[in-house]
Amino acid sequence: MSKKKFARRQLSKTDPDTAPVSKQKPATSPYHSMAYWFVALLLVLPVIFSRQAQDPAITPRYILLSIFVAVFALFFYVFQRTESRMPYPPLVKYIFLIGLALVAWSLVCLFFSVNPTAGFYEILRQLLNLIVLFLVTEMVAGSQETTLRICKIFVVVALVQSFVGILQFYDIAFKELPGANAKPFGLMANRNLFGSAQAFVIPFVLFVLYIGSQKWKYVSGVALFSLIISLIISQTRAAWLAALAILLVSVVLVVIFSPDNRKKWILGSVVAVVTIILVAFLLISTDKDGVLSQQVKERAASLVNAASDSTQSIENANDRLGIWKKTTELVRDHPIIGVGPSNWKLNILSYGSAGLSWSGGYFVPDRVHNVYLQMTAETGFPGLILYMLFWVLIAVAGFKVMMKPVSEKQRIQVILMVSGLAAFATDSMFSFPTERIEHMLYVMLMAGFILGNFIANSKPAAATSRMPAWLPLSVVFIALLNGIMGVKKHRFEKNLNYAIAYENENRFQEMMEYTEAGKNSWVNVDQVGISLQAKAGIAYRAQKNYPTALEQMNLAMKYNPNSPMVYNNLGTIYTEMNDYKKAIPYYEKALYLAPDFDIVKKNLAFNYYSVGNYKGAIKTLEKVKIDGDEFLVNMLNDARIKASALP
């Protein structure tokens, strides 16, 4: 061995600076563990369903999220005593205080509502969303590296949700998934909300496309392409506008705040637009049945008011405008307190339904399809101001990070999250994303990314401290309350569904058993204002137990004082008791609420005839088709004879 080789070997043995060092994995902080918990939540939440619930996605996912929050807070802040970034900068304190003020104001409004119990779920949900925002903010403030891991899992979520929706739309697979309307509804049980969910995922996917490794850039590129396809086939105008908001807002913010990325971002946006046009053209040109082609063209044209008045999309738009108009009237009557959370559906019918889809009595409005109008209607202008201020201040925190980021990566991340909030704001004008569990989780992650980065950049965030013991315990308590509410809500919905099924089969004994089993003090009406008491009244009436039937129907009227179905059934109970004079006012009220409710017209005409009001019977029957109904035809003819004989 040469002297040089011998010296080199001896040096490697004795010199600590040149000694080989074994690779060690970096220690995992509690914040990285938190990120893994959220990764698991994002993967599991969208695949949870219950066919027994009224909406197969809402209640089971609500229960899961409540359990997640309770266990998360217990594990990290009670057992592990993870350090907090508190005290927060003043801006962040104001944001959470305003969020709590909105909850408190909603509770005040609830005390003045016709059905306070109906709003319990909404208020608990507001608190749960605020807690999720708090937990995400804490995680990101503790370690900004956690955000990329969560964004990567969103790439996986985007791929899964997109392929489920695409395969479902073309009847290849996932056809048996529960859903409420036309396909594709993917994993969201609703086509419109499937489109919204796809739009809300885009900012996270774009961040991975911007900062990820070469492998992740390819994967996120495929995810973005699949999102484009699923957004187009969702045929959801609100989701299209939300995606457009992400594109425009991100371009504007990059141009203003990130000179280094201007050219690349603008070029990427142009490529995205061209890709969207080409994909849309390809999907339409290969549409053999022409259904997708027609619907996409109609919805795209309706965005610029260029579609024919005969199209279904315009009919839907006109109906929505009618809802907005009625809601505006309601707001004028209740500008300060509103009608109470979740009480819009219990009040809106009192403003009439002529010319709208629910005038026939078979459908009832469940949502305004405009979060801002619904917020104003239910909590007044103070509620709307608090709600808007909450989101505006989060955006302000985002702008502060954009102006003074610690890195360009952080700036782009916050730009994309603010763009995502712009998409949420846009979608809220035409849809109801605040109702969905996964939608609000996505939005709270965006907001938490912004606030966490803002705290990390602020000087007070340099020192950490123990979180006050009462805070995590309060979080656990509120999460458990939400969990109990979820279980109660699921039980209510399950028994209501069984009661309706047995009603359709005229099995009234079983129907009565399920209505009694589902009653609880936490939930008393469903999404469209139907109560178990109303169904119980029908069951007792069918068994000729009229006193109990009246008792149940009067309770149902108390819970929903503007239900045509309840008034029709009250009239029917009195009709079967041969008390026609008492029945008539209930039928008249039902007809006022639903002027095209043909069953009510026939019932009212019979009662008019029975008390000798032949002109009223004639006038009512002339407004409804009775061809083929021998009983009503004979009654009309007899009423005409008797009316002509009157002086």
Side-chain angles (χ1 to χ4, degrees), residues 61 113 138 141 270 280 287 310 332 351 409 417 442-443 445-446 526 544 565 582 635:
R61 297 178 190 182
S113 65
E138 278 284 305
V270 171
D287 180 29
S310 63
R332 280 202 296 264
Y351 289 84
K409 179 181 78 172
M417 296 306 112
Y442 298 169
V443 172
L445 280 164
M446 296 175 196
D526 72 349
K544 310 300 181 184
M565 183 198 76
K582 277 191 176 179
M635 187 175 72

Side-chain angles (χ1 to χ4, degrees), residues 601-602 605-610 613-645:
K601 291 177 185 177
K602 294 174 183 179
F606 173 77
N607 280 264
Y608 279 149
Y609 178 85
S610 299
N613 184 354
Y614 303 119
K615 291 182 179 179
I618 295 167
K619 185 178 179 181
T620 304
L621 284 175
E622 286 177 345
K623 295 178 181 179
V624 62
K625 291 181 180 181
I626 59 172
D627 298 341
D629 191 325
E630 185 178 353
F631 175 80
L632 290 177
V633 170
N634 291 337
M635 187 175 72
L636 177 60
N637 292 333
D638 190 57
R640 285 171 175 165
I641 294 170
K642 290 179 177 178
S644 63

Side-chain angles (χ1 to χ4, degrees), residues 285-589:
S285 62
T286 56
D287 180 29
K288 296 179 181 179
D289 298 330
V291 176
L292 176 64
S293 174
Q294 180 184 355
Q295 291 179 342
V296 169
K297 287 177 181 178
E298 284 180 2
R299 283 165 169 76
S302 68
L303 290 174
V304 292
N305 199 29
S308 167
D309 288 341
S310 63
T311 64
Q312 183 65 42
S313 60
I314 288 297
E315 290 176 12
N316 293 339
N318 289 338
D319 203 47
R320 193 166 300 176
L321 288 173
I323 294 175
W324 292 353
K325 183 179 178 182
K326 300 294 182 185
T327 305
T328 303
E329 295 174 18
L330 186 152
V331 169
R332 280 202 296 264
D333 292 341
H334 306 273
I336 306 300
I337 297 294
V339 295
S342 292
N343 272 251
W344 174 87
K345 61 179 177 284
L346 308 179
N347 287 269
I348 195 62
L349 277 175
S350 65
Y351 289 84
S353 60
L356 299 173
S357 62
W358 64 81
S359 65
Y362 295 102
F363 303 97
V364 290
D366 52 354
R367 311 171 185 92
V368 184
H369 283 261
N370 184 305
V371 171
Y372 311 107
L373 262 179
Q374 184 146 355
M375 180 67 67
T376 312
E378 294 183 343
T379 60
F381 283 104
L384 177 66
I385 291 169
L386 288 170
Y387 180 78
M388 297 294 290
L389 189 58
F390 176 80
W391 293 110
V392 168
L393 289 183
I394 291 174
V396 169
F399 281 107
K400 286 182 176 291
V401 177
M402 290 179 217
M403 289 187 287
K404 294 182 179 180
V406 296
S407 67
E408 197 62 25
K409 179 181 78 172
Q410 185 190 59
R411 173 182 276 148
I412 293 298
Q413 181 185 111
V414 172
I415 284 175
L416 287 170
M417 296 306 112
V418 170
S419 302
L421 294 185
F424 169 65
T426 303
D427 189 72
S428 295
M429 294 177 66
F430 308 100
S431 188
F432 39 95
T434 52
E435 174 193 288
R436 310 304 285 199
I437 306 302
E438 57 280 355
H439 287 55
M440 290 310 297
L441 174 61
Y442 298 169
V443 172
M444 290 304 164
L445 280 164
M446 296 175 196
F449 281 17
I450 293 170
L451 295 185
N453 278 291
F454 177 75
I455 292 171
N457 289 10
S458 303
K459 290 181 180 179
T464 58
S465 60
R466 294 288 183 195
M467 190 179 291
W470 62 267
L471 188 53
L473 292 176
S474 300
V475 167
V476 172
F477 176 72
I478 293 169
L480 290 177
L481 279 180
N482 275 275
I484 295 171
M485 169 58 77
V487 172
K488 297 283 188 181
K489 191 172 187 295
H490 184 268
R491 181 178 133 198
F492 174 91
E493 293 176 357
K494 179 186 73 173
N495 285 282
L496 178 60
N497 286 340
Y498 277 118
I500 292 171
Y502 282 120
E503 179 187 9
N504 294 333
E505 296 179 3
N506 295 324
R507 295 168 61 179
F508 297 107
Q509 182 60 41
E510 292 98 327
M511 178 184 176
M512 188 171 61
E513 291 171 2
Y514 277 101
T515 58
E516 294 302 322
K519 292 176 183 176
N520 66 80
S521 58
W522 292 63
V523 185
N524 58 26
V525 292
D526 72 349
Q527 181 61 44
V528 295
I530 298 174
S531 64
L532 283 167
Q533 284 74 15
K535 294 302 177 183
I538 293 172
Y540 283 114
R541 190 204 83 203
Q543 295 180 327
K544 310 300 181 184
N545 186 347
Y546 296 123
T548 308
L550 283 173
E551 178 187 336
Q552 293 296 307
M553 277 298 171
N554 281 314
L555 273 174
M557 183 173 62
K558 177 185 175 183
Y559 295 150
N560 185 355
N562 295 294
S563 169
M565 183 198 76
V566 169
Y567 286 106
N568 178 60
N569 279 288
L570 278 166
T572 302
I573 293 170
Y574 282 113
T575 299
E576 292 184 7
M577 294 171 66
N578 298 322
D579 196 341
Y580 306 116
K581 285 187 178 180
K582 277 191 176 179
I584 287 173
Y586 291 110
Y587 287 131
E588 289 176 337
K589 177 70 172 180

Side-chain angles (χ1 to χ4, degrees), residues 140-214:
V140 177
S143 174
Q144 292 75 65
E145 296 173 6
T146 58
T147 58
L148 181 58
R149 184 173 288 112
I150 292 175
C151 288
K152 285 179 178 178
I153 210 62
F154 266 110
V155 173
V156 177
V157 169
L159 286 168
V160 172
Q161 290 186 167
S162 297
F163 281 115
V164 168
I166 293 167
L167 295 175
Q168 191 180 69
F169 179 74
Y170 288 106
D171 286 326
I172 298 172
F174 306 107
K175 295 180 285 185
E176 302 304 319
L177 286 176
N181 56 6
K183 296 175 183 177
F185 43 75
L187 300 173
M188 299 300 160
N190 180 289
R191 187 179 69 183
N192 293 340
L193 293 166
F194 167 70
S196 298
Q198 297 300 82
F200 293 169
V201 169
I202 291 175
F204 302 99
V205 175
L206 285 176
F207 183 66
V208 178
L209 187 63
Y210 170 77
I211 202 66
S213 63
Q214 196 68 28

